[in-house]
Amino acid sequence: MNHFVKTVSRIFLCGTAVCVLPFAWGCAGKSAAPAAPLAAKPAAAPVAPAPALPADEELARVGVNEAGLVPIIEYHEINDKPGKMSRSAALLNRSTAQFRHDLERLYAQGFRPITMREYLDNRIDLPLGLSPVILTFDDARASQIRYLPDGKLDPECAIGILQAFHTEHPDFPVHATFFVLPKHPFGSAPAEAQSKLRALVSMGCELQNHTLNHRYFNRMSDAAIRREIALGQAGILQLVPDAHIDVLALPGGYLPRSRNHAILLSGDSDGIHYANRAVLMAAAGPAPATIAKKFLAWHIPRILAVEGDAGVTYWLNDFKQHPKRRYVSDGVPTTVSVPAYLSSTVDRDRLQGAELHVYGGTEAVASVPGGKGHPRRPHNAVE
Ligand SMILES: [Zn+2]
């Protein structure tokens, strides 16, 4: 496909004009970025009574850090027989063995899937000491959900693998966020596409917007961008009327050429209003916690599920080597526990009703998570 060829040329042009687009962090002052609108949704009430907050000594022993980084991993194809592929198409493919291995590693390193909503609500509900991961799947590709001729879920499709992993590891829920292209989701006819989308929701997954036609925003007028977002949302709602669409994944990771980023978060077109709480890039690295000052709702980085620099294996290795960088839960969703040396990184206006608990006295600020020195995959490197 032609856009794949164009994409791969961009990947290997890293360092040229393509890569001077702003990365996730450090660019707020240079653009027309709106303030992060995080107060859009009421927080869900916890199902069970929340446990008591552990003593500070226990928080310190476990390494609790609710201002830490959250990996948002980006998948496309999960396919063992993808056929002959261009290098860019290969970049978007993960074998079933690689996907299973990613899940094993995430589990072993203490990551558990959460929804985008939990992340954006600042209500991450994980037991003490565990860390959140958000699994995302773009483009509604056929290998993401597939049924066998007998009507059973194909155990080799992405959601089949995730379901089986959940059966083996009940504390690893089937939470994933699907950024859907609504014209022909999963390569299926409309009725089948509709039933697949509904099945995903019933399993615990979220459906979100990836626009109508997957056109790159850096080549479009603001009016055309609004139209792509509004009609993408409408297309999903036509198939699943009760879907809650409030997150956008940028096609190719491209921002509007006008730099009018407010149009990504809210706008109107064709009589349709959209209001996005968050906008995801196509790659880059782990995401800041939503309470972090460096969090930008219109520019949230993801980790591409590839090998090599700045891919999922790279970052899982990095989290293992630097455990202080990641978000680690205190076990109480309504309390945000942060070690004292990171308290200056917290934007207290973003707590969304949660209580900030700073613990651990004073410590040097030198080891603030997400420091410089990592290879960053360009956020616009993929589909
Ligand atoms: Zn895409």
Side-chain angles (χ1 to χ4, degrees), residues 162-181:
L162 196 51
Q163 278 278 21
F165 194 84
H166 165 64
T167 302
E168 293 164 21
H169 309 81
D171 61 336
F172 196 94
V174 182
H175 289 328
T177 304
F178 287 76
F179 289 94
V180 175
L181 297 174

Side-chain angles (χ1 to χ4, degrees), residues 232-295:
Q233 172 181 288
I236 299 169
L237 291 174
Q238 197 172 1
L239 293 164
V240 185
D242 56 352
H244 199 91
I245 313 291
D246 57 6
V247 182
L248 171 71
L250 296 175
Y254 290 97
L255 290 164
R257 69 182 178 207
S258 67
R259 307 189 82 179
N260 182 8
H261 303 128
I263 62 171
L264 304 175
L265 291 167
S266 68
D268 296 271
S269 182
D270 297 67
I272 300 157
H273 179 70
Y274 60 87
N276 292 316
R277 306 177 71 195
V279 179
L280 301 191
M281 314 313 295
T290 55
I291 59 160
K293 287 178 180 171
K294 58 175 68 167
F295 174 84

